[in-house]
Amino acid sequence: LTRGRRATAVDSFVRSFIHSSANLERANEDVRWRSMVSLSFRRRSKTTTMTRGEGGDARARVDDAEEDETGRWDAVIVGAGVAGASLAHALGREGRKVLVLERDMKQPDRIVGELLQPGGYLKLKELGLESCVEGIDAQKVYGYTMFKDGEVATMTYPLEGRSDDVAGRSFHNGRFVQKLREAARAVEGVELRQGTVKKLLNARGDEWSEGEVVAGVSYATGDTWDEKTQTVIS
């Protein structure tokens, strides 16, 4: 997936975002962001269809059904956080049909990821997502100042030659994530659903096991997300 230009931009943006997070231990693993997004990506000769599995669980899986346009997906993304929502937006703009499954569509409320470095903002622009830092009381950040034993040291970002909008951003993580979700949802072909993924599926629709290709997911549905009111309906 990272062979595509937009997917590479998502990779770079998420890495920049993670490394600027207050939760610094997450930045120590070079590819930790990949665990944030699980996805099933179809071959061009295949389609992904929605079915109902045992116990009423919904399924998003790959098969050869071509006759029904309902429920076809080029990609199934698990998790509508920073990485998942950004990737859904990027793939949708490439004309792909994307299903995003998120266990809780409410605005996240946690202290994590409040600082986006200038490099991350530049990647947002490359992805066409720079508007996601608008309307959330984001504050521009131009560097750092450190205080110790009466001494002061200031370091500024090297922003010479950049446009005026390029700077770091400090914001509420949950509001930023919601803006990313809204941007992804606005792209034709991208659909966000609330559900909890219970297991991975292989190409036969059975539970995935080590060594097989992941071709879909089985997930439990409960509450639904109301687009008009932007709330969860039980």
Side-chain angles (χ1 to χ4, degrees):
L1 203 60
T2 54
R3 286 179 296 179
R5 185 171 180 271
R6 289 192 181 279
T8 302
V10 173
D11 187 333
S12 300
F13 162 59
V14 175
R15 289 171 187 269
S16 174
F17 186 79
I18 288 176
H19 280 265
S20 65
S21 169
N23 194 9
L24 293 178
E25 66 270 16
R26 296 171 64 188
N28 293 330
E29 299 179 48
D30 186 48
V31 293
R32 173 65 182 270
W33 78 271
R34 298 179 189 278
S35 67
M36 299 165 63
V37 183
S38 301
L39 49 84
S40 169
F41 202 73
R42 76 174 173 90
R43 298 174 183 173
R44 286 299 179 184
S45 60
K46 301 279 189 177
T47 61
T48 307
T49 61
M50 298 304 299
T51 61
R52 189 67 58 176
E54 296 180 3
D57 293 341
R59 292 188 172 197
R61 58 176 294 270
V62 174
D63 60 32
D64 292 310
E66 295 288 348
E67 68 280 358
D68 184 9
E69 290 293 334
T70 303
R72 289 185 182 178
W73 310 106
D74 292 314
V76 177
I77 300 176
V78 180
V82 173
S86 300
L87 183 58
H89 179 272
L91 293 178
R93 290 184 64 181
E94 290 181 346
R96 303 183 187 276
K97 192 167 184 182
V98 183
L99 172 65
V100 184
L101 300 172
E102 167 58 45
R103 64 181 179 180
D104 188 355
M105 285 292 188
K106 295 191 296 294
Q107 177 175 297
D109 187 16
R110 58 183 182 270
I111 301 175
V112 60
E114 293 86 7
L115 177 62
L116 180 68
Q117 302 285 6
Y121 177 75
L122 288 171
K123 289 302 177 181
L124 271 184
K125 294 187 68 173
E126 185 176 334
L127 291 166
L129 290 168
E130 66 271 25
S131 63
C132 292
V133 297
E134 299 174 2
I136 59 173
D137 296 324
Q139 304 298 309
K140 287 185 177 181
V141 178
Y142 296 97
Y144 299 86
T145 298
M146 297 176 288
F147 303 86
K148 182 178 180 180
D149 299 330
E151 296 185 54
V152 179
T154 298
M155 297 179 291
T156 59
Y157 294 128
L159 301 176
E160 294 79 5
R162 299 287 186 181
S163 56
D164 292 340
D165 63 314
V166 179
R169 293 293 195 284
S170 177
F171 44 59
H172 183 281
N173 174 272
R175 297 180 68 183
F176 177 60
V177 168
Q178 288 298 82
K179 293 283 279 191
L180 289 172
R181 291 173 177 175
E182 292 170 11
R185 189 183 289 112
V187 178
E188 183 178 358
V190 176
E191 182 174 340
L192 274 67
R193 295 182 182 176
Q194 181 157 296
T196 301
V197 172
K198 301 178 68 176
K199 59 186 177 182
L200 303 177
L201 304 176
N202 58 27
R204 301 184 303 278
D206 301 324
E207 186 169 359
W208 173 86
S209 60
E210 192 70 34
E212 295 181 313
V213 174
V214 178
V217 297
S218 174
Y219 67 98
T221 58
D223 297 336
T224 58
W225 178 256
D226 185 80
E227 170 68 20
K228 185 175 181 179
T229 62
Q230 295 286 294
T231 58
V232 174
I233 302 175
S234 300

